[in-house]
Amino acid sequence: MTTPQYSVAVGDVEIDDEFWTPWIRRNRTETIEYQYDQLEESGALENFRRAAAGREGGFQGMWFQDSDAYKWLEAASYELAKADDPGLRERVDEVIDLIAGAQREDGYVNTYFQLVEPDKQWTNLNMLHELYCGGHLIEAAVAHYQATGERSLLDVGVGFADHVDDVFGDEVDGVPGHEEIELALIKLYRVTGEDRYLDRARYFVDLRGHDDRLAWEFDHLDEVAGHEYSDGDAAEGAEVVFTDDDGEYDGSYAQAHAPVREQDTVEGHSVRAMYLFAAVTDLVDETGDEELWAAMERLWENMTTKRMYVTGGIGPEHEHEGFTEDYDLPNETAYAETCAAIGSIFWNQRLLEHTGEAKYADLVERTLYNGFLAGVGLDGKRFFYVNPLASSGDHHRKGWFTCACCPPNAARLFASLGQYCYSTRDGELYVDQFVGSTLETTVDGVDVTVEQSSSLPWTGDVTLAIDAEGPVPVNVRVPEWATDATVTVDGEDADVDGAGFVRLAREWDGETVEVTLERETELIAAHPAVEDDVGRVAVERAPLVYAAEAVDNDRPLHQYAVPSDADAEATHEPSLLEGVTTLDVDATVPDLDGWDGSLYRPASETASEEAALTLVPYYAWDNREAGDMQVWHRSDLS
Amino acid sequence: MTTPQYSVAVGDVEIDDEFWTPWIRRNRTETIEYQYDQLEESGALENFRRAAAGREGGFQGMWFQDSDAYKWLEAASYELAKADDPGLRERVDEVIDLIAGAQREDGYVNTYFQLVEPDKQWTNLNMLHELYCGGHLIEAAVAHYQATGERSLLDVGVGFADHVDDVFGDEVDGVPGHEEIELALIKLYRVTGEDRYLDRARYFVDLRGHDDRLAWEFDHLDEVAGHEYSDGDAAEGAEVVFTDDDGEYDGSYAQAHAPVREQDTVEGHSVRAMYLFAAVTDLVDETGDEELWAAMERLWENMTTKRMYVTGGIGPEHEHEGFTEDYDLPNETAYAETCAAIGSIFWNQRLLEHTGEAKYADLVERTLYNGFLAGVGLDGKRFFYVNPLASSGDHHRKGWFTCACCPPNAARLFASLGQYCYSTRDGELYVDQFVGSTLETTVDGVDVTVEQSSSLPWTGDVTLAIDAEGPVPVNVRVPEWATDATVTVDGEDADVDGAGFVRLAREWDGETVEVTLERETELIAAHPAVEDDVGRVAVERAPLVYAAEAVDNDRPLHQYAVPSDADAEATHEPSLLEGVTTLDVDATVPDLDGWDGSLYRPASETASEEAALTLVPYYAWDNREAGDMQVWHRSDLS
């Protein structure tokens, strides 16, 4: 069994797309290279060397630094899955050797504990990320095995998983403060066929919210690991993030406030929530647990209708890096962590593949082009951890972070993007995302080839040339944003009934499917309960959300008002920001005549004049001269 | 010579006004009583006792705690000036005895230095407030002398002033980081006729911006006083407030970035700026210095046309408690310290009396009814230090502050309010503010009596019954906000030519002057450069600025949009908030139908419905159930 993370393997898809290929190339040539250097510079590799040598102390970095190496291995493995690369393979093998060398005979590996607090393993599940790091080890192990067929890292992952399976439910009962092990164990189950990994994932999912260990640790902070770690007091950190407004313990930070199957609202640290829900969706897919599925549907509904930015970004609040209340979506102080957007893509892709419902692919698309993509600079070297929807000009991407979770997370998403373009389900093929690419896969044993070309995101023309050795139905997504859509097979119209998948059930012998997706520049309003957006409009030219930057506009951005029926002119500018379509939207600005020497005047005496507000895709902001940015513009909405 | 602070003495005016009398009564029965208790509780009096006993150490409170006692004495003296009160007089005398006992033979008195750092006097002019405390001592001394004719406190003030005059320009050259001594010395000059106090005030004004001592102290923080004071490191505090964005010394916090006569913009700590400009205006009044006067006019222009809230509040920024840049007037994060509003009233009253120009009285009025009055709760026991123009419901008045400058400053303003109602100039009387009151004064030796009744701020009907023993012209102010105004003398119309003083030159034998000021509820816009206010309107019903509070409105305040031509209905509600006129302004709110289950929708599909936004006077906010508050409402302005 070598079921990939999703139903199509990374190696089955070769992307060749005008929009995405440069991102993926920069990811390979800049990000992955740079991150390898960082593993050495940050001490991540040295930590493994010291652990392998049986030394004590000298640990460098945050206590979850091991995960940087694992995420890099996962991203590098996806690259190896797509094309061999002897140089990269050699470095991958070196890093695997270090990790294997550091692993104890009982399977445990975590250089923080091995070097700093060897007698305090599993004492601080809340904050010390042992299971989180182990989960990333397993994800890397699965990716490496599927890419290369080699068991070098898989054996390390299996050793760790077996150790966890031995310890938990026996010596220790508890759930991790940061979810990740759950989805990793299900991946391991899928690649090994060993039921105990699925059972252990279910144990962690089911125990969450019933378990009182997190609360116990909170009350015994001086007994648990990480109390005096110099790079940040991990134990004390719990006092901040695990308390409610009254200073009482509150498990919602780690989605441990209630059993998952009883949860109604997305709560707490948003990356943790997404990783948990991804695992739960996998679990539902494996077990058919209807109660858990009902929870997934409730939580998705809550997130998408009350707690999500128009970019697909999630988690508005800085201190908890997470969710707050319904409709609390501030723009300038938005957190909307890049990793949370990635986590949302992970979850939604699983929801899509579990249900075959296009709405999940729509959200993957929205998040991919906006909330996620803004996290990475056009140079592939600088990253946003935090993605505000408005800026006064002092928020900029940085090369790296002390808590370096986002850059390697972005790397593994870019490197595996092909997995999100297609999926298979019940013997049918789904074209989920419109990305120029070649798919060679099997659907229920039938070889299928798809050659896709796509003009997205700038225009909506997609061509698919399909070959199959048997009658595999192909489902093509019509996004919710398409104002009109036609799908033809060798020139013959197929039935299109609004948004959703159009099912083309036939034999395939090189037929050409043409998909034409119409869309207009659209002005969007937010629910009136969203205080920051009330009376304002955002501008979309699907799948892109647009933003205004000071560099493109004469007046300060706050002076522009965009009428709700404003016209917009789109212009493709191949030399701007690596090639973008800009929008000039009809707007008004205050007439400055008459204001001379006045600070306050009767409103009835003021006037306005016409102006155009120039917008660029949100993902492209902060790649030029620094200045104000805003997604939501003043309008005439009441 | 006993020239009062302004041209009319506190004791010459007896206020009997439906609006103001309750405030003044609460000030007398609550605030002044409470503050006396606080002097004991905070250790302020104990500091004097210890210093009088020649003890060392044991100092309590902030290093400028002495000034609380002086400000209380000043307020209490104003009460004694208006009516004798044996109990209050006794306590005043006790406090004066303590201060006199603590004063050294050479005239120096400052309990922080006497108890804590006796060898470091005058080493930290930036931050240690010796001259500031001394200035308040002198103000109290002058007020007490004028109220009672007794020299007990005046002698202490004179002793301190003489000591300062001996030391400065000789042993020490420098200016205080917090201005106050300057205006106090001019008051002392006016009451004693001693030129050296005026000259010393001029020395401090002229040296500011030329002096490099503040910068020297900044570079020698470990040599100056206050370095390790336990209640706050006063020396280190300088590193925060006296540095620019690059961490370099910047004197603008104390208006020491340039000579006063060269300054063009109001800068730095706003209370300091107001106290300085008040002194400079006095100096101009005494000396006719045209260059300094030109600076006053420039600075007033800059403040009122670019750096002032619609409430008259000033100083938007928290860290420096002061001014920032033109048009930087955020609402929710406004600082707008109550003391700064009071300082602005001090300055503007002096400008008014120097020029006879009504625009300064207009601003005194705006600030009095709004930016200042909001600083005091309707119970007279709770105070705002900070006066935002929008709140999310978590900003509330408090009983006292560690840095307790605002409550006693409010107390001395309420207690001396009569001084702001009338002024005299060149043998003429001015009716500056419309406050029911009896004035008995002399104008160039001629006895004049005015009986005023006023319906402000709720309606604009004022009656003045005037008697004079000679032909004293009476000037009655027509405020800039009056849309129409009539002034009659015994029923005969006087000429009214827009805003400004209407001069009534005649003999007075009990004639009745009727002033009728028309005004409408008016929607005000702010200059488009004010980011927080763009597209918004504030509502005034002069002289009051109005605010919306959650408690009066069904929808969250952000959902209301007030069209720029909205009608408003005024209703006087005698039992609400001690009696206020409320406004119901025509507005719209989003139609919530159609939003069910949606977070984002095409703007063109949204709709609105009619609603009324209920407003109360800004000064009255936060006296009921906590909730959102806003002064600037969404509108349809472009």
Side-chain angles (χ1 to χ4, degrees), chain A residues 4-6 8-13 24 27-28 32 70-84 88 92 138-148 183 187 346 350 408-420:
Chain A
Q5 173 173 351
Y6 302 119
V8 164
V10 172
D12 291 351
V13 185
I24 294 167
N27 185 57
R28 172 66 192 88
I32 291 178
Y70 302 144
K71 282 188 195 159
W72 179 82
L73 277 174
E74 185 184 340
S77 295
Y78 293 142
E79 291 298 333
L80 294 178
K82 293 184 287 183
D84 194 24
L88 184 61
V92 163
I138 293 167
E139 282 205 274
V142 170
H144 182 255
Y145 175 64
Q146 290 182 322
T148 65
L183 70 85
K187 279 191 183 183
F346 292 166
R350 284 165 165 88
N409 234 352
R412 62 188 186 135
L413 180 55
F414 279 126
S416 63
L417 190 66
Q419 287 199 306
Y420 301 86

Side-chain angles (χ1 to χ4, degrees), chain B residues 73-96:
Chain B
L73 278 175
E74 186 183 340
S77 296
Y78 293 141
E79 290 298 333
L80 294 179
K82 293 185 288 183
D84 194 23
D85 178 334
L88 184 61
R89 176 186 288 263
E90 193 175 318
R91 279 186 288 168
V92 164
D93 287 341
E94 276 173 21
V95 175
I96 291 173

Side-chain angles (χ1 to χ4, degrees), chain A residues 123-261:
Chain A
T123 64
N124 190 345
L125 301 181
N126 265 341
M127 298 296 290
L128 265 288
H129 290 52
E130 280 161 295
L131 289 165
Y132 169 86
C133 289
H136 278 300
L137 164 61
I138 293 167
E139 282 205 274
V142 170
H144 182 255
Y145 175 64
Q146 290 182 322
T148 65
E150 291 169 18
R151 294 194 56 101
S152 54
L153 191 58
L154 187 66
D155 287 341
V156 180
V158 163
F160 183 85
D162 288 343
H163 180 72
V164 166
D165 192 42
D166 286 347
V167 169
F168 279 81
D170 183 15
E171 289 167 50
V172 183
D173 252 321
V175 300
H178 198 316
E179 301 91 330
E180 159 67 19
I181 189 75
E182 301 86 347
L183 70 85
L185 286 170
I186 298 173
K187 279 191 183 183
L188 191 62
Y189 158 72
R190 286 175 173 168
V191 88
T192 62
E194 296 286 352
D195 286 343
R196 65 179 182 280
Y197 303 135
L198 181 66
D199 293 340
R200 187 52 58 199
R202 181 160 40 193
Y203 159 88
F204 284 127
V205 167
D206 283 344
L207 187 58
R208 186 168 299 272
H210 288 294
D211 164 53
D212 56 5
R213 187 188 162 97
L214 291 179
W216 180 89
E217 287 180 3
F218 180 79
D219 288 334
H220 297 78
L221 290 180
D222 49 359
E223 295 174 34
V224 303
H227 190 52
E228 291 188 339
Y229 180 57
S230 59
D231 274 24
D233 191 317
E236 273 194 12
E239 292 195 51
V240 175
V241 294
F242 275 106
T243 49
D244 61 19
D245 290 345
D246 300 323
E248 299 294 309
Y249 171 79
D250 175 359
S252 65
Y253 175 63
Q255 298 76 48
H257 53 294
V260 178
R261 59 187 70 238

Side-chain angles (χ1 to χ4, degrees), chain B residues 84-231:
Chain B
D84 194 23
D85 178 334
L88 184 61
R89 176 186 288 263
E90 193 175 318
R91 279 186 288 168
V92 164
D93 287 341
E94 276 173 21
V95 175
I96 291 173
D97 282 348
L98 284 178
I99 296 165
Q103 185 170 38
R104 284 197 327 220
E105 287 207 359
D106 65 359
Y108 184 86
V109 58
N110 181 296
T111 69
Y112 170 77
F113 279 92
Q114 290 172 267
L115 297 177
V116 183
E117 299 192 88
D119 55 340
K120 290 216 166 170
Q121 282 166 216
W122 314 124
T123 64
N124 191 346
L125 301 181
N126 265 341
M127 297 298 288
L128 265 287
H129 291 49
E130 280 162 295
L131 289 166
Y132 168 86
C133 288
H136 278 300
L137 165 61
I138 293 167
E139 283 204 274
V142 170
H144 182 255
Y145 175 63
Q146 291 183 322
T148 63
E150 290 170 18
R151 294 193 57 99
S152 54
L153 191 58
L154 186 66
D155 287 341
V156 180
V158 162
F160 184 85
D162 288 344
H163 181 72
V164 166
D165 192 43
D166 286 347
V167 169
F168 279 82
D170 184 14
E171 288 166 51
V172 183
D173 252 322
V175 301
H178 198 317
E179 300 91 331
E180 159 67 18
I181 189 74
E182 302 86 347
L183 71 85
L185 285 169
I186 298 173
K187 280 192 182 181
L188 191 62
Y189 157 73
R190 286 175 174 169
V191 88
T192 63
E194 295 286 352
D195 286 344
R196 65 179 182 282
Y197 303 136
L198 181 65
D199 293 342
R200 187 52 60 198
R202 180 158 42 195
Y203 159 88
F204 284 127
V205 167
D206 283 345
L207 187 57
R208 186 169 299 273
H210 288 295
D211 165 52
D212 55 6
R213 185 184 164 97
L214 292 180
W216 180 90
E217 286 180 3
F218 181 79
D219 288 334
H220 298 78
L221 290 181
D222 48 0
E223 295 174 34
V224 303
H227 188 53
E228 292 187 339
Y229 180 56
S230 60
D231 273 24

